[in-house]
């Protein structure tokens, strides 16, 4: 049975949520398993002042807000927003993700002349490769890059960058970061509820496992307990299929 609620809290935080037998409620079990995947996706890298902040487009505008704060705090000289319309935003947004993210950043105080746009990419690999072309076109130094994405995309973003960055990988310092949002706070009206978040986590882990053999990213070791959690979620009906945002 799939849950369709906005968020979750574990039993320790919510007295009375246990079943009469004392076992975890279904929602608590899903949250326990999903948080194991969530924690694995986070790399926990420390920020270092870099040449450019490269923001990969997505359906979560909190990513744009976080990237804007990074620039305002002085972590890089320039910010590049990448993305056309992807699985989650096609048919929902009427402009490229990069343009919407740019507008958010400008409204937060980032000068328009410190922003570059890449508006053709429709997946993570294209975000990386096409953004490199934009940086080359404008002769922007990119010896150090801060990648910004959603929290559960940190690990896959890193693995994709290392595989597909066209530049000098050996001498390019890369950090991946994301909005500081806890798992139980992540679901929202804009990005979907708990069911959606868990499905996305399952889908991302499946790609982390399968994409290296397809040449899309470098391999990442998956701890046994994370894979067991993934398998249990799949058995519970979380198949990782992409969802479509509701048009507004």
């Amino acid at each position: 049975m799939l849950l369709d609620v906005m968020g979750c809290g574990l039993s320790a935080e919510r007295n009375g949520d246990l079943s009469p037998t004392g076992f975890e409620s279904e929602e608590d079990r899903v949250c326990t398993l999903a948080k194991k995947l969530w924690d694995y996706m986070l790399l926990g890298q420390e920020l270092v002042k870099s040449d450019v902040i490269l923001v990969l487009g997505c359906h979560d505008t909190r990513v744009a807000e976080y990237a804007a704060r990074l620039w305002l705090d002085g972590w890089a000289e320039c910010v590049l927003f990448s993305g056309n319309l992807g699985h989650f935003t096609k048919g929902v947004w009427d402009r490229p993700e990069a343009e919407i993210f740019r507008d958010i950043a400008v409204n937060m105080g980032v000068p328009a002349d410190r922003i570059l746009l890449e508006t053709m990419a429709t997946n993570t690999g294209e975000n990386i490769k096409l953004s490199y072309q934009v940086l080359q076109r404008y002769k922007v130094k990119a010896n150090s890059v801060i990648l910004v994405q959603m929290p559960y995309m940190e690990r896959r973003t890193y693995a994709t960058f290392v595989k597909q960055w066209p530049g000098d990988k050996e001498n390019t310092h890369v950090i991946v970061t994301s909005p500081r949002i806890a798992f139980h706070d992540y679901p929202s009206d804009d990005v979907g509820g708990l069911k959606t978040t868990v499905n996305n986590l399952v889908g991302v882990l499946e790609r982390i496992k399968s994409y290296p053999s397809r040449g899309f990213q470098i391999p990442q070791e998956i701890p046994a307990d994370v894979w067991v959690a993934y398998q249990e979620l799949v058995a519970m009906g979380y198949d990782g299929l992409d969802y479509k945002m509701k048009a507004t």
Side-chain angles (χ1 to χ4, degrees):
M1 178 180 178
L2 297 179
L3 301 169
D4 193 10
V5 295
M6 289 313 301
C8 65
L10 298 180
S11 300
E13 299 171 348
R14 300 188 312 170
N15 293 331
D17 239 19
L18 293 177
S19 69
T21 61
F23 294 107
E24 284 181 302
S25 69
E26 180 183 356
E27 181 182 333
D28 282 348
R29 184 58 182 164
V30 169
C31 289
T32 297
L33 296 168
K35 189 174 184 301
K36 191 174 289 290
L37 271 62
W38 176 276
D39 290 344
Y40 168 71
M41 304 298 181
L42 297 174
L43 298 179
Q45 297 178 317
E46 292 188 11
L47 288 170
V48 174
K49 187 173 175 61
S50 300
D51 295 325
V52 62
I53 298 168
L54 171 51
V55 189
L56 286 72
C58 61
H59 61 296
D60 189 346
T61 56
R62 292 172 293 188
V63 172
E65 294 167 357
Y66 177 66
R69 288 195 295 271
L70 291 179
W71 188 91
L72 292 168
D73 288 342
W75 289 105
E77 293 297 321
C78 135
V79 57
L80 191 164
F81 292 109
S82 170
N84 191 346
L85 293 172
H87 289 298
F88 301 146
T89 54
K90 189 174 182 179
V92 180
W93 291 356
D94 59 3
R95 292 186 296 142
E97 296 161 358
E99 292 183 2
I100 291 174
F101 278 23
R102 182 267 316 278
D103 291 350
I104 291 171
V106 169
N107 287 337
M108 290 178 62
V110 180
D113 63 3
R114 305 313 303 164
I115 297 174
L116 295 175
L117 293 184
E118 183 290 302
T119 60
M120 298 299 293
T122 59
N123 59 56
T124 305
E126 290 180 353
N127 287 135
I128 300 302
K129 292 183 287 189
L130 297 179
S131 292
Y132 177 82
Q133 293 176 12
V134 171
L135 294 169
Q136 290 291 293
R137 186 183 314 136
Y138 287 96
K139 296 180 170 49
V140 175
K141 183 176 70 170
N143 295 330
S144 53
V145 180
I146 297 173
L147 299 172
V148 185
Q149 243 284 19
M150 298 176 291
Y152 61 81
M153 281 289 291
E154 281 195 19
R155 183 174 292 275
R156 192 158 86 81
T157 298
Y158 171 80
T160 305
F161 181 93
V162 174
K163 180 68 176 181
Q164 301 208 36
W165 181 247
D168 182 357
K169 298 183 183 71
E170 294 296 324
N171 294 302
T172 301
H173 185 264
V174 60
I175 294 168
V176 186
T177 187
S178 62
R180 300 302 192 239
I181 306 172
F183 167 68
H184 63 271
D185 292 328
Y186 188 79
S188 72
D189 289 332
D190 291 331
V191 301
L194 175 62
K195 179 175 71 174
T196 291
T197 300
V198 176
N199 257 326
N200 288 343
L201 283 164
V202 168
V204 170
L205 188 63
E206 190 281 328
R207 288 162 175 79
I208 286 174
K209 184 175 179 63
S210 66
Y211 274 11
S213 65
R214 300 173 65 182
F216 296 156
Q217 60 189 46
I218 63 168
Q220 297 282 282
E221 181 179 355
I222 302 175
D225 60 331
V226 173
W227 190 248
V228 168
Y230 161 87
Q231 291 176 314
E232 187 172 339
L233 287 168
V234 170
M236 295 173 75
Y238 294 91
D239 54 17
L241 295 178
D242 289 339
Y243 78 105
K244 297 297 291 185
M245 294 174 66
K246 294 180 180 179
T248 56

